[in-house]
Structure formats: C-alpha cells, structure tokens
Amino acid sequence: MVATVSKGRTARGRRASTTVALLAATVTAALAAGCTGQHTPADDGRGRTQPPTSPSPSPDQSAAAGAPVLAVKIDNVPAARPQTGLRSADVVYAEQVEGGLSRLMAVYASQLPKSVGPVRSARESDLELLRQYDDPTLAFSGAQHKLLPLIDKAPLTAEPPDKADGAYYRGADKPSPHNLYLHPARLMPSAPGPEALTNGFRYGAAPAGGTPDTSVTVRYPSARFDFTWSEDRHRWLVSMDGTPTVTTDGKRVTPATVVLQYVKVRKSAFHDVLGNNTPYTETVGSGRAKVLRDGKAYDVDWKRANATDGTDFTTGDGAPVNFAKGQVWVVFVKAS
C-alpha cells in the first residue's frame, strides 16, 4: 500500500537545498575548468552541448517554474532497442522485473526530447521510487488492473495513453507492444529545469580515494548491464546484454555517473499474465552502493529514511558523495 503523507515543508526544503547544491556545483565546475584545465567534454552525456559562452538554455528548453519532473517507463527487452530519447534524461533507473528481465525509468528535468520510447507499463515499485520527486508526472503504457487504484492514489500525475489524448503514437520501426512512443511536449510545455530534481543527488568534485575501475558488469537473471569507462569521452559507455547501447539516432548512451545501489528485492502481490511474480524493489531504507565516476569506483553508503526524502550517498565517515555533472544511471542490484 502506498502511504499518503503530505510532503509540504519537507519537499520545499528539499527543493531549496537541491537548488543550492546545483548552484554550488556549477560554480565549482567553472572554477575547476578555469584553474586546472582538465578535460571537459562538449557533450555533457545527455546529448546536450553547453559552450561556456552560451550558458543559457534555448527557448524551447526554458525552465517552467515550479513544474514537476517527467518520468517515463521505457521498454528494455532486446526487441525494444534502440530506444528513443534516452540520452536526454537527467536520471535513468534500471530495475529488475518479471522473468529476471530489466526495465528503465527515465527522468527528465533539464530538457525534453521530441520523442521518448518505447513506453511500457508501470510497476508498484515505481510509486515508492517517485515519492522523492515533488508531484512528478508519470508516463506509462498502462498497468495491471489491481495496481491502477494504487497509481490513482499516489501523489503523482498519471499520464497513460487513455488519459493523454494525442501525446502517444505507434511507430512503424518495431512490432507491438514495443512501438509505443511519447511526445513529452504534449504533457508539459517546457522542461521544468534541474531544480525539479528533488532526489537528493549532489554534483561536484569527486570524493577522496576511490579505486581505478574501468569496467563493471551487473547481472540480473535474464539481463546484463556493462559500463565501460571511456577516457576520450570522459564518460561511461553503456552496453546491455552484450550489445552497445545506442539511441535511434545512432549515438552511444554515455552517463557521467553510474550508481550500483544494493537494495532489498522481494516478491510483490502482483503477477504478470504468465503468472510470474512482479519483484518489488525497496528504495526506502539504507544499504551500500558503488559509485562510478571519472574512471574510479567508490564504495559508499546510501540512506533514504522516508519515501518523501531524497536519497543520500555518503562515505564511511558520513561525508556527502558528489556525482559528476551529466546523466546519472542508478542500477538497483539485489543485496546479498
């Protein structure tokens, strides 16, 4: 059951602290670039180029004050690839679903792509995961009928095809059900801006220490993720099930930071049409995590005390862990 605790002051405070952290990270990054001359890629990993002489977003990407993030459930079986619009996301979550397969949730705040997909169905875990965002909009293809009442009660704006007239379309590139796509502009007029990312993530200089690590693999029972560090791009190259991950424009998916978050994965009360149990990924609580950035791995702790809180990542002595500027992938891994 999804709790209905009011977010009120906690959410507003989290938004303010996140904005301060983002502004601080921007200043830190600018100073670092000017003082050290270290490599800064023109592409920030989200398919977006931000030259120092043109810091302002383009008119179609201007922030909508107080607007929520857009979260889209994205199909991730081989028949659904390559996906569309994945590189534009600020955060990509990967979770295990029925049959040991994987599914993605892409969260958009800094920019909205023209199209996103293929869009697939929601899961119960999504409702808890999204509570750390303020009143998010969730785009999904549908859900099993027993889950729909929980989605209706959740503190989010649900936008499946039957409620979002004209926002979805069927593509001709893949067979159904792997060909449902979304026009994000039909759900919101412009990107809400990075201040809408009330998930607790911090961006800035890397923590001290770390272990050089340029290749990491995560395995689900029927899916695999590989992250390989590219010194030239200064980004992690994503591969899924042994195949390089590209979008429909032929470009590699290259997050700046990858988080392997070790969580409890249990059985839920739901099953798919084949009778497979739907796993429930618990994202409230605490545990360990591995943060990959700048070609290094950092063993850290994570904590999210309440569903309305962001997720804190800290070193062993409690110091906050910064992520590198750019797209973040969070891969939920079953804790041993």
Side-chain angles (χ1 to χ4, degrees):
M1 201 67 170
V2 179
T4 55
V5 179
S6 173
K7 287 183 278 190
R9 183 181 303 174
T10 300
R12 290 193 294 271
R14 191 165 71 246
R15 179 186 289 119
S17 62
T18 301
T19 302
V20 171
L22 286 165
L23 290 172
T26 301
V27 173
T28 301
L31 291 173
C35 296
T36 67
Q38 72 179 34
H39 172 66
T40 302
D43 184 340
D44 75 352
R46 290 166 290 184
R48 182 177 62 173
T49 301
Q50 295 275 357
T53 56
S54 304
S56 300
S58 58
D60 63 327
Q61 303 298 345
S62 59
V69 299
L70 171 65
V72 185
K73 290 305 301 288
I74 297 182
D75 200 350
N76 198 38
V77 297
R81 304 173 197 151
Q83 292 106 337
T84 299
L86 193 58
R87 280 169 46 85
S88 299
D90 291 270
V91 184
V92 177
Y93 295 100
E95 64 177 346
Q96 182 179 324
V97 292
E98 299 86 359
L101 295 168
S102 65
R103 186 155 294 178
L104 307 178
M105 178 190 286
V107 176
Y108 298 89
S110 298
Q111 59 181 336
L112 297 178
K114 292 182 179 179
S115 181
V116 178
V119 181
R120 288 303 298 271
S121 55
R123 296 294 185 275
E124 184 184 9
S125 300
D126 302 334
L127 308 183
E128 179 179 274
L129 176 61
L130 286 174
R131 289 293 302 280
Q132 61 194 307
Y133 295 96
D134 294 343
D135 303 315
T137 296
L138 175 61
F140 58 106
S141 64
Q144 58 175 277
H145 70 280
K146 291 183 180 180
L147 180 58
L148 291 175
L150 297 183
I151 295 176
D152 290 338
K153 293 177 182 178
L156 54 79
T157 300
E159 293 286 4
D162 60 343
K163 292 184 179 180
D165 186 43
Y168 292 86
Y169 68 96
R170 289 284 179 185
D173 58 334
K174 301 178 180 73
S176 181
H178 312 294
N179 63 346
L180 181 66
Y181 294 88
L182 169 73
H183 287 305
R186 302 288 178 89
L187 298 183
M188 53 183 61
S190 59
E195 66 273 13
L197 295 169
T198 54
N199 51 19
F201 294 0
R202 295 170 178 263
Y203 301 84
T211 303
D213 201 340
T214 58
S215 182
V216 176
T217 296
V218 176
R219 297 179 186 276
Y220 290 170
S222 302
R224 185 178 114 204
F225 294 91
D226 295 297
F227 301 97
T228 304
W229 177 250
S230 170
E231 191 63 43
D232 291 340
R233 301 193 189 197
H234 213 67
R235 289 290 180 266
W236 295 91
L237 306 180
V238 182
S239 295
M240 293 188 285
D241 300 325
T243 301
T245 301
V246 298
T247 47
T248 47
D249 58 6
K251 295 181 179 180
R252 289 294 298 268
V253 175
T254 57
T257 304
V258 177
V259 180
L260 311 184
Q261 186 175 342
Y262 295 92
V263 298
K264 182 177 180 180
V265 180
R266 59 172 173 80
K267 291 183 177 181
S268 74
F270 300 95
H271 296 77
D272 66 10
V273 294
L274 299 177
N276 296 311
N277 184 265
T278 301
Y280 188 100
T281 300
E282 296 188 3
T283 56
V284 173
S286 61
R288 60 189 182 92
K290 186 182 294 289
V291 172
L292 310 176
R293 60 164 294 176
D294 305 324
K296 287 186 174 182
Y298 299 85
D299 291 318
V300 305
D301 299 315
W302 71 269
K303 183 177 181 179
R304 185 178 167 209
N306 301 293
T308 53
D309 294 336
T311 306
D312 295 324
F313 294 90
T314 57
T315 60
D317 58 2
V321 173
N322 293 327
F323 297 165
K325 182 181 179 183
Q327 187 178 83
V328 177
W329 274 57
V330 180
V331 183
F332 296 118
V333 185
K334 186 176 182 179
S336 56

